[in-house]
Amino acid sequence: MQFITFRMLSRRIKAVSYMMKDKTVPMRKKLLIVFGIVYLFLPVDLIPPVLFPFGFFDDIVLWIWIIWHLKDTLDEYWAVSYTHLRAHET
């Protein structure tokens, strides 16, 4: 079992932009990211944000699930983004 670390999480979050730009990625994966972003900004939540800090719990759980669900795809794009950044450094 792979544990989620902050480093791994930040790599996968950075890879989202590369994944969204790729035309070969299935639309359902892109829609999952869009749904997560829309839900983040909707005024309606399962747990209202007024109940701080519990109000953000549903948002955090949703995004952890999305990133876990797309982990294999995001890891591929993280590798692409990493090699792309390394190529520009030299």
Side-chain angles (χ1 to χ4, degrees):
M1 180 175 164
Q2 180 181 3
F3 293 101
I4 296 177
T5 63
F6 286 115
R7 185 174 178 190
M8 184 67 67
L9 197 59
S10 68
R11 287 178 182 173
R12 289 177 178 161
I13 290 170
K14 290 176 187 176
V16 168
S17 64
Y18 290 97
M19 185 193 85
M20 294 298 281
K21 292 176 187 176
D22 190 358
K23 296 183 188 310
T24 61
V25 174
M27 186 60 73
R28 63 180 171 80
K29 291 183 179 183
K30 291 181 179 183
L31 286 175
L32 192 60
I33 296 292
V34 171
F35 169 74
I37 292 170
V38 168
Y39 183 79
L40 200 60
F41 291 106
L42 277 177
V44 178
D45 279 337
L46 292 175
I47 304 171
V50 178
L51 301 173
F52 186 79
F54 303 107
F56 299 106
F57 186 71
D58 60 332
D59 298 328
I60 291 169
V61 168
L62 175 70
W63 272 101
I64 288 174
W65 181 83
I66 289 172
I67 291 173
W68 177 81
H69 185 69
L70 298 174
K71 69 181 181 302
D72 296 331
T73 306
L74 292 175
D75 287 346
E76 290 174 21
Y77 287 95
W78 176 80
V80 169
S81 67
Y82 182 75
T83 57
H84 181 69
L85 290 174
R86 289 297 233 179
H88 285 289
E89 288 179 358
T90 57

